Amino acid sequence: MNSALYSGWVQHRRFSPRAHAFRYRMGLLFLDLDEQEQVLALSPLAGRGRWAPFAFREEDFLPTFTQRGVRLSDAVRQVVSEALGQPLLGRICLLAQPRSWGLAFNPASFFYCYDSIGQLQAVLCEVRNTPWQERYHYVLPCPDGQTGPFDVRVNKAFHVSPFLPRELQYRMRFSLPTDRLGVHMADWQGELKLFDASLSLRRRELSRASLHGHLLSFPWMTAKTLLAIYWQALRLLIKRTPLFSHQPAHGSVRVASPDSLDEKP
C-alpha cells in the first residue's frame, strides 16, 4: 500500500514586526487517491459518513471540480497538466488531515504527483485562508530525476492571513515522502524574512491497529487545528500585530519552475 500515516510536529515562527512562535504535535493521512476504498475498509471507525471519526470525502478538496462530480484525481491531473503543459500519468497521493467527527479543514493540503515511472513530478499545494474561507493552488514542479529535497520560489498570489501582506514571496523546500517527510515554507519581503512554517513528520504504515492508534493520539485533530488558528490570532492581536486588509487573489493557480529562483516579489 502506498498510503500511510504521518505524525510529528508543525511549527510556525513570526519574526517581524512582532516575534511570535508556536509548535504542536499533529497527525496526517498520506492517501494514494486510488486506494481510498482499501484505506477506509481498514476499520469500522473509518468511512465517508458525516460523523465518522476518520473520514475522507473528495468534495473537501478542489471543490470547484469535485462538487460538480469530477473525481479528485481527475481534477488534480487537469490543474497540474494545464499548469505544466504536459500530462500527469502516475499516481497522486494527498497529504492532509482526514475529516473528523463532521469537521473538515486543512490550512494547506499537498498533492504529491508522480510520473509513469514513479518519480515525483510536481506538488500541488491547495491553500485555504481564514477568515475568508477562500482557496488557491500553487503548482510546484520537482526537477527531473530528483532524489532528495527540492526548493522552489514563487510570488505569493493569495491573501492567507490578515497578519501578513499578500505581496510577498514564498520560498519552499519539500523532501520526498519516505520514512520521513518535511515541508518548509517561508514568507520573504525582499531580503527580510517575515514568517516561516515547517512540518517534520515520521511515516507509519497503515493498518487497522495504526489507524486506531492515530485516532487515540489525535482524536480531535481538525477541531484542534481550527481552535489553534483563532487562539494564535488572539495572541497576535494582544501583541498589537498590524493587520492588513484583504486583497483579491491573482487568478486561481500559480506555477513555479526551477528558473523562478531569481523571481522578485
Side-chain angles (χ1 to χ4, degrees):
M1 187 184 294
N2 294 317
S3 301
L5 295 168
Y6 277 93
S7 62
W9 296 91
V10 59
Q11 174 180 271
H12 286 207
R13 299 183 299 174
R14 189 177 297 267
F15 305 100
S16 178
R18 304 284 187 273
H20 185 76
F22 62 87
R23 186 171 180 253
Y24 293 122
R25 284 193 71 240
M26 76 179 313
L28 298 172
L29 172 65
F30 186 76
L31 176 66
D32 184 325
L33 294 183
D34 290 334
E35 296 178 348
Q36 293 182 46
E37 300 307 322
Q38 187 177 352
V39 169
L40 296 179
L42 286 173
S43 168
L45 299 177
R48 301 189 192 274
R50 179 173 180 82
W51 301 112
F54 186 101
F56 183 79
R57 291 186 178 182
E58 292 198 344
E59 295 83 358
D60 293 334
F61 305 92
L62 278 75
T64 56
F65 295 91
T66 56
Q67 291 181 7
R68 293 188 288 109
V70 178
R71 293 179 60 217
L72 181 56
S73 57
D74 292 337
V76 174
R77 291 185 200 283
Q78 180 176 330
V79 171
V80 175
S81 297
E82 289 179 357
L84 298 183
Q86 56 183 300
L88 183 63
L89 301 176
R91 72 181 188 274
I92 299 169
C93 297
L94 167 63
L95 180 70
Q97 293 179 144
R99 176 181 279 263
S100 176
W101 303 107
L103 288 176
F105 182 77
N106 281 276
S109 305
F110 303 98
F111 294 87
Y112 290 78
C113 305
Y114 294 83
D115 63 19
S116 59
I117 62 172
Q119 292 187 331
L120 186 65
Q121 187 172 352
V123 175
L124 173 64
C125 177
E126 180 177 69
V127 181
R128 294 182 65 178
N129 59 15
T130 49
W132 306 288
Q133 298 302 310
E134 299 167 326
R135 301 183 192 231
Y136 197 85
H137 298 92
Y138 293 94
V139 178
L140 312 170
C142 179
D144 291 342
Q146 188 75 15
T147 59
F150 67 98
D151 299 280
V152 294
R153 298 188 190 187
V154 62
N155 288 346
K156 189 175 177 180
F158 178 65
H159 202 165
V160 177
S161 165
F163 298 99
L164 285 167
R166 187 192 62 187
E167 304 304 328
L168 299 172
Q169 184 185 72
Y170 282 133
R171 302 184 187 182
M172 308 182 191
R173 166 165 282 204
F174 292 86
S175 71
L176 302 186
T178 56
D179 289 342
R180 292 182 179 273
L181 187 154
V183 178
H184 181 77
M185 307 175 71
D187 286 330
W188 288 75
Q189 190 173 56
E191 295 306 310
L192 178 64
K193 183 178 181 180
L194 300 184
F195 169 87
D196 69 16
S198 300
L199 279 174
S200 180
L201 307 172
R202 184 187 294 269
R203 180 185 176 103
R204 187 177 183 187
E205 297 302 316
L206 252 174
S207 65
R208 176 175 293 209
S210 66
L211 191 152
H212 290 169
H214 174 90
L215 288 174
L216 287 172
S217 298
F218 307 102
W220 302 98
M221 191 70 247
T222 308
K224 177 181 175 181
T225 298
L226 286 166
L227 288 172
I229 288 172
Y230 288 102
W231 168 242
Q232 297 302 330
L234 177 61
R235 292 182 63 198
L236 288 169
L237 288 172
I238 292 171
K239 291 183 177 182
R240 298 184 179 181
T241 305
L243 291 168
F244 295 87
S245 59
H246 178 256
Q247 294 178 286
H250 292 306
S252 59
V253 178
R254 177 159 287 187
V255 59
S257 61
D259 63 4
S260 71
L261 293 176
D262 296 324
E263 184 180 358
K264 300 298 183 183

